[in-house]
Amino acid sequence: MQTITKKLRLIYLPFLVMTISFIVLYSFLNWLLFIKTNTFSIKEDIVNFWLPFGLPWIPVLLWLRPRIKLLKLTSGNGNLPFLYQFIAALAMAIPTIVAQGYIEKASGTLTKLETINEIDKGEQTKYYTVKSFYIDKTNIGVHSSFDVSGKHNENFNMHLYVVLPILGSEADTTNSNCLAWLGVEYSEQISNRLEYKEKEEKYQAFANESQKDFDNKDVNKFVYLDRVGNTGDGDGFKEAVKKSPKYNSNNTSVFLAVNEPFENRNGNTFAWIFGSFGITGGIWLIMLLIPKLDESELNRFESGKPSNDNEVKEFIDFLKPNEGYFITPIIIYLNILIFMIMVFTGLGFFSFKGQDLLAWGANFRPSTTNGEWWRLLTSTFLHGGLIHLIANMYGLLFVGIFLEPLLGRTKYLTVYLLMGILASCASLWWYDATVSVGASGAIFGLYGLFLALLLTKIFPPDFGKAFFTSTLIFIGYNLLMGLNGGIDNAAHIGGLLSGFVVGLILYPTLKKQVENEPTE
């Protein structure tokens, strides 16, 4: 009983305080900065999902992790300490994410308008009811958008954004100004493995079905209007507004029609804030009660002695550029920086649209061969989304640890950039009109070089045996995944072969270098 009490006092109670404080503080800041005052313009999915999903790791690592070390989790239990940290962070994140959805809807004010022409007369709100209006269904704006999703970009997503001018009366159709728009979205997901012509056929069928639905839709029936926020769909609707053939609008306020009572907008979300907190907190409590306390760690903690924990320091040191490992972290940080800039400019997070990647320098044969040859290099620093970035940076981190100390900074950087360009050239040669991005071509070039050096026995025998098989598995797995579609296997193979040839060319020089190194 005394052990349980100590667990509750030293670990679970601080966890509860941290979780409740995080939910309340983050929700308040979201309401103040993004909903009430609109101080910053950041995509809603970042504010409502990704930030509350990632930020809990800060209090978990700084304050809860030292307390989790009081439990006996390391002896024969694999990576259980990380599992406890992960569940604790999840227990903070899930109710926080649910709370953001509730706050956004609950804090929105319903404004009653006699006519839509009054919409710019008062303070901007999220919800509106309108007594008198006319929707011009003949002068719409339409924008089509495409993106990919899935761990291996195996899904191809098609979107049609349609906006209809909302006017005060039919007489206003003689005017070219429009104060508000009604948005309608159609979407469909198909396999990214399909050929270009098959995708075109699927898109035409999707567009025809959407047209039929739109023709039969009664756009005048709604209970209230819901303003579209700073989202990916909002960007699609704004593009559709620009394509309206008749109406010019500096005000791109787009609304969705809602056909349910205003009081029902939140459903059971409020109850689920407490429900999700209870479920995740309960799971963590059960996990906390299972292991025993580590008496030596407990005595050290209660006496106030500092922990002999060097894991965080070693991890931070590992991320720092240092002698023999300087270029790899810089390349990783540069890729992450470009990704974050794209995120905070509102282009996406989990995935980016093809047209946005093109604007940022993606490789695309019609553009590249038309004089924009710089795309061969810039495309290697762009990524299609979060998973794409993480997978590539992990692969680069692993191979860079071994190759950079051997090649040296200048040679390593030259090989990396050269492999990236050659991989882009292979993609250019193979694909007629495919948007290609990612560092994987350059990384596969490094793995090709690594493979050549393993085969030529530059590395010690024990090292070669251990990593030769794992390198082949890594290469084979990624090439097989490329057969699923959505992955630029031409760049992978082009980089791999180029790297292998470069490895054979460098072999004599590296062999002499290794032989001349002093032995301890």
Side-chain angles (χ1 to χ4, degrees):
M1 187 66 184
Q2 188 177 6
T3 301
I4 295 176
T5 303
K6 285 185 176 181
K7 288 180 180 179
L8 295 177
R9 177 173 59 85
L10 296 176
I11 305 176
Y12 195 69
L13 184 58
F15 160 75
L16 289 179
V17 172
M18 278 188 278
T19 302
I20 295 171
S21 300
F22 181 81
I23 295 171
V24 172
L25 179 60
Y26 186 87
S27 300
F28 172 74
L29 291 176
N30 181 17
W31 172 82
L32 179 65
L33 299 178
F34 300 105
I35 298 175
K36 181 66 176 178
T37 62
N38 198 24
T39 306
F40 303 103
S41 180
I42 300 178
K43 291 295 184 191
E44 289 181 6
D45 59 342
I46 297 176
V47 176
N48 294 340
F49 182 82
W50 292 110
L51 286 178
F53 185 79
L55 288 178
W57 279 100
I58 296 175
V60 166
L61 293 175
L62 291 180
W63 295 301
L64 195 60
R65 182 173 174 273
R67 296 173 181 270
I68 293 175
K69 287 176 63 66
L70 302 179
L71 302 172
K72 280 189 175 181
L73 298 173
T74 54
S75 178
N77 287 319
N79 203 18
L80 278 180
F82 176 79
L83 177 63
Y84 273 69
Q85 295 167 35
F86 178 77
I87 298 299
L90 207 61
M92 291 186 188
I94 292 176
T96 307
I97 291 169
V98 176
Q100 304 323 299
Y102 173 80
I103 291 170
E104 182 183 17
K105 293 181 179 179
S107 60
T109 305
L110 180 66
T111 301
K112 297 180 180 180
L113 303 176
E114 289 294 324
T115 174
I116 197 67
N117 293 330
E118 298 174 357
I119 199 167
D120 62 341
K121 299 294 191 277
E123 184 180 354
Q124 177 179 298
T125 59
K126 181 171 176 57
Y127 305 108
Y128 291 90
T129 59
V130 188
K131 283 187 177 180
S132 176
F133 62 90
Y134 175 78
I135 297 178
D136 187 357
K137 204 174 180 180
T138 59
N139 292 290
I140 62 174
V142 182
H143 173 67
S144 56
S145 176
F146 309 93
D147 58 70
V148 295
S149 62
K151 184 179 180 181
H152 300 290
N153 291 339
E154 65 271 16
N155 303 317
F156 185 78
N157 307 308
M158 304 180 292
H159 305 269
L160 276 176
Y161 296 98
V162 185
V163 290
L164 303 87
I166 308 176
L167 308 173
S169 65
E170 189 172 359
D172 290 338
T173 55
T174 58
N175 235 320
S176 61
N177 293 323
C178 178
L179 296 175
W181 304 78
L182 182 69
V184 180
E185 182 199 0
Y186 296 96
S187 62
E188 186 174 315
Q189 186 178 88
I190 60 175
S191 172
N192 202 20
R193 297 175 61 183
L194 299 175
E195 296 294 333
Y196 182 74
K197 289 184 178 180
E198 292 178 295
K199 289 179 180 176
E200 276 194 329
E201 291 173 359
K202 291 284 187 182
Y203 172 72
Q204 286 301 324
F206 161 64
N208 292 336
E209 286 297 319
S210 302
Q211 183 68 59
K212 288 180 184 177
D213 181 84
F214 180 77
D215 291 339
N216 296 324
K217 182 182 289 290
D218 186 357
V219 294
N220 295 291
K221 285 185 64 176
F222 57 83
V223 177
Y224 64 93
L225 297 173
D226 181 356
R227 184 186 297 274
V228 177
N230 187 7
T231 63
D233 288 341
D235 292 340
F237 286 127
K238 288 178 181 178
E239 290 299 318
V241 168
K242 296 176 184 176
K243 296 177 181 179
S244 173
K246 180 177 180 180
Y247 298 99
N248 300 317
S249 176
N250 294 323
N251 179 4
T252 54
S253 294
V254 181
F255 299 88
L256 300 178
V258 183
N259 282 299
E260 63 178 19
F262 180 72
E263 296 76 18
N264 297 345
R265 67 192 184 281
N266 263 315
N268 296 319
T269 308
F270 187 72
W272 269 109
I273 298 174
F274 297 94
S276 59
F277 174 70
I279 293 170
T280 53
I283 291 172
W284 205 74
L285 176 60
I286 294 171
M287 291 175 61
L288 184 64
L289 297 177
I290 294 173
K292 296 179 180 179
L293 285 171
D294 187 323
E295 292 299 329
S296 61
E297 282 292 327
L298 180 63
N299 292 333
R300 178 202 58 76
F301 185 85
E302 290 184 328
S303 64
K305 294 180 180 178
S307 172
N308 295 322
D309 183 7
N310 295 319
E311 293 177 17
V312 175
K313 182 179 182 300
E314 290 175 359
F315 179 71
I316 293 173
D317 289 341
F318 183 68
L319 295 177
K320 292 179 181 177
N322 52 61
E323 189 63 33
Y325 184 69
F326 187 84
I327 299 298
T328 301
I330 289 178
I331 294 174
I332 291 174
Y333 296 150
L334 182 58
N335 278 274
I336 293 174
L337 176 63
I338 293 172
F339 175 80
M340 293 307 299
I341 293 173
M342 293 181 70
V343 168
F344 283 103
T345 52
L347 300 181
F349 187 81
F350 205 73
S351 64
F352 299 117
K353 294 182 175 63
Q355 54 263 46
D356 292 328
L357 292 171
L358 272 175
W360 278 69
N363 194 19
F364 186 60
R365 184 195 279 188
S367 300
T368 307
T369 56
N370 195 35
E372 299 177 359
W373 296 104
W374 44 268
R375 292 180 179 273
L376 296 174
L377 181 60
T378 56
S379 61
T380 64
F381 291 93
L382 299 174
H383 289 85
L386 178 65
I387 302 300
H388 190 200
L389 175 73
I390 292 174
N392 279 349
M393 294 306 100
Y394 178 79
L396 175 59
L397 181 71
F398 176 80
V399 76
I401 292 172
F402 304 114
L403 285 184
E404 186 176 347
L406 179 66
L407 298 178
R409 294 182 188 179
T410 303
K411 197 176 294 182
Y412 177 79
L413 178 60
T414 303
V415 168
Y416 179 86
L417 296 177
L418 178 62
M419 294 305 98
I421 292 172
L422 292 176
S424 296
C425 289
S427 176
L428 207 67
W429 171 73
W430 186 260
Y431 297 108
D432 292 327
T434 295
V435 177
S436 177
V437 295
S440 52
I443 294 168
F444 259 77
L446 294 180
Y447 274 93
L449 191 152
F450 189 45
L451 187 61
L453 298 183
L454 288 171
L455 288 171
T456 53
K457 300 181 180 180
I458 286 289
F459 295 102
D462 292 341
F463 179 93
K465 289 178 182 177
F467 286 97
F468 179 71
T469 303
S470 61
T471 301
L472 283 180
I473 292 173
F474 172 84
I475 293 171
Y477 172 79
N478 282 278
L479 291 179
L480 284 174
M481 288 300 100
L483 299 177
N484 292 327
I487 296 177
D488 190 352
N489 250 358
H492 288 178
I493 296 172
L496 181 67
L497 294 177
S498 301
F500 190 82
V501 171
V502 170
L504 295 178
I505 294 172
L506 293 176
Y507 165 70
T509 304
L510 295 176
K511 183 70 174 176
K512 291 180 181 178
Q513 175 184 316
V514 171
E515 289 174 349
N516 292 331
E517 285 180 353
T519 56
E520 296 183 1

